Amino acid sequence: MGIDPGLTRCGLSVVQAGRGREVLPVAVGVVRTPTGEELPDRLLRLSNAVNEWMDDYRPDVVAVERVFERGNVSTVIHTAHASGVLVLAAAQRGIPVHMYTPSEVKKAVSGNGRADKRQMTSMITRILGLSEPPKPADAADALALAVCHCWRAPLLARTAALLNSGGDPS
Amino acid sequence: MGIDPGLTRCGLSVVQAGRGREVLPVAVGVVRTPTGEELPDRLLRLSNAVNEWMDDYRPDVVAVERVFERGNVSTVIHTAHASGVLVLAAAQRGIPVHMYTPSEVKKAVSGNGRADKRQMTSMITRILGLSEPPKPADAADALALAVCHCWRAPLLARTAALLNSGGDPS
């Protein structure tokens, strides 16, 4: 499951890792909460929505975008509030959470840590064999996070195994 | 209940509003989560702790410090993650949440929006009739939030009633 956290718009996606680099799309969507509502009500809506997705799709692992120190500080604070609630939902179910920065996702999916939105959407559409580009951007970002984790998971697993056996992962 | 949100240290307090400006202390404490742990585990610990407090004390209302755009951005992001989880706990129980900025709390409790920590701790100790100053600072801040709300609640209620009746609250 890939999550692009946000309070006004939060992207959610579910994919299935196939053989090698094959990744199959399962579901994608955006949860919105009304900007006119108070923070507690908005966080409750978001928490209920992500818990419904987790009930429906029972993900093995969740990839979440790490909240980053960029842009408007008040937006960053809202996104961090939302992210806390989303990460908590996974933790309460014992689902492992992996966090990636936007540039890690771009690099993993397109090979370029500075790829723009158009390049990323086009890569995601091709990788997942979608008939049309996912919209809005938050949905595409949630799919990119999920693909990023599918492709990095085998490397992370090998690194962890080497570290556990006392070997050198480099 | 007053909450001074934080991921490493979170202040929690419970008070009982008495007659006029009388406020009685009920409980105060600090929840800590290990800095070496991953974010999901820390948020789960914090959520479990605040839910235990809410089970034990069944607060009528919760006052939480609003996360503010000051200081280290990465600390602000951590505090906002924690705050999301704390506010959610109240929202899930249908407990009203009121948010106050640090200067609103200082002004309400000491009459001075720029009061320093020492002044605030001394005011809180006197207002609540404590035998010694509350420690650490997060505990004192949580008590100050609770006192701030007790003193502002009657005004907020009158304002809401006037607005509902179509009157002018000024």
Side-chain angles (χ1 to χ4, degrees):
Chain A
M1 182 169 188
I3 304 183
D4 179 33
L7 194 56
T8 304
R9 283 185 313 277
C10 173
L12 299 174
S13 77
V14 179
V15 302
Q16 171 73 52
R19 287 196 179 183
R21 284 169 75 86
E22 187 186 25
V23 184
L24 303 168
V26 175
V28 64
V30 173
V31 177
R32 293 162 202 272
T33 76
T35 51
E37 271 190 8
E38 296 289 333
L39 180 66
D41 299 322
R42 298 179 76 183
L43 293 177
L44 186 57
R45 277 180 196 265
L46 186 60
S47 174
N48 289 344
V50 77
N51 275 295
E52 267 181 40
W53 274 66
M54 288 177 176
D55 282 343
D56 289 349
Y57 297 105
R58 310 205 162 271
D60 298 318
V61 57
V62 175
V64 184
E65 189 173 297
R66 193 180 288 282
V67 180
F68 220 61
E69 306 158 25
R70 51 153 192 202
N72 184 299
V73 185
S74 127
T75 307
V76 169
I77 290 174
H78 272 132
T79 306
H81 285 322
S83 170
V85 160
L86 297 161
V87 168
L88 177 69
Q92 284 175 329
R93 291 161 187 258
I95 305 172
V97 176
H98 291 264
M99 306 191 85
Y100 296 102
T101 62
S103 65
E104 283 175 319
V105 176
K106 287 175 180 176
K107 185 131 206 287
V109 170
S110 78
N112 171 10
R114 293 174 171 202
D116 63 21
K117 280 202 183 295
R118 210 168 45 87
Q119 289 171 306
M120 286 296 289
T121 300
S122 137
M123 282 301 291
I124 281 298
T125 309
R126 198 156 61 77
I127 291 163
L128 296 173
L130 304 173
S131 54
E132 54 186 69
K135 277 181 194 170
D138 314 80
D141 287 345
L143 287 166
L145 275 153
V147 169
C148 166
H149 182 73
C150 288
W151 287 0
R152 290 189 57 161
L155 180 65
L156 293 173
R158 278 203 300 278
T159 308
L162 273 164
L163 285 171
N164 284 338
S165 69
D168 180 348
S170 62
Chain B
M1 182 169 187
I3 304 183
D4 180 33
L7 194 56
T8 304
R9 283 186 313 278
C10 174
L12 299 175
S13 77
V14 179
V15 301
Q16 171 73 49
R19 287 196 179 182
R21 284 168 76 85
E22 188 187 25
V23 184
L24 305 168
V26 175
V28 64
V30 172
V31 177
R32 294 162 201 271
T33 76
T35 51
E37 272 191 6
E38 296 287 334
L39 181 65
D41 299 321
R42 298 179 76 183
L43 292 176
L44 186 58
R45 276 179 196 267
L46 185 61
S47 174
N48 289 344
V50 77
N51 274 295
E52 265 179 44
W53 273 67
M54 287 177 178
D55 282 342
D56 289 349
Y57 297 105
R58 310 203 164 273
D60 298 317
V61 56
V62 176
V64 184
E65 188 173 297
R66 194 180 289 283
V67 180
F68 220 62
E69 306 158 24
R70 50 152 193 203
N72 183 299
V73 185
S74 127
T75 306
V76 169
I77 291 173
H78 271 131
T79 306
H81 286 321
S83 171
V85 161
L86 297 161
V87 168
L88 177 70
Q92 283 175 330
R93 290 161 188 259
I95 305 172
V97 177
H98 291 263
M99 306 190 85
Y100 297 101
T101 63
S103 64
E104 284 175 318
V105 176
K106 287 174 181 177
K107 185 132 205 289
V109 170
S110 78
N112 171 9
R114 292 174 171 203
D116 64 22
K117 280 203 184 296
R118 210 169 45 88
Q119 289 171 307
M120 286 296 289
T121 299
S122 137
M123 282 300 290
I124 281 299
T125 308
R126 197 156 61 78
I127 292 163
L128 296 172
L130 303 173
S131 55
E132 55 185 71
K135 280 182 193 170
D138 314 81
D141 287 345
L143 286 168
L145 276 152
V147 169
C148 166
H149 182 74
C150 288
W151 287 359
R152 290 189 57 160
L155 180 67
L156 293 173
R158 279 202 300 277
T159 308
L162 273 164
L163 286 171
N164 285 338
S165 69
D168 181 349
S170 61

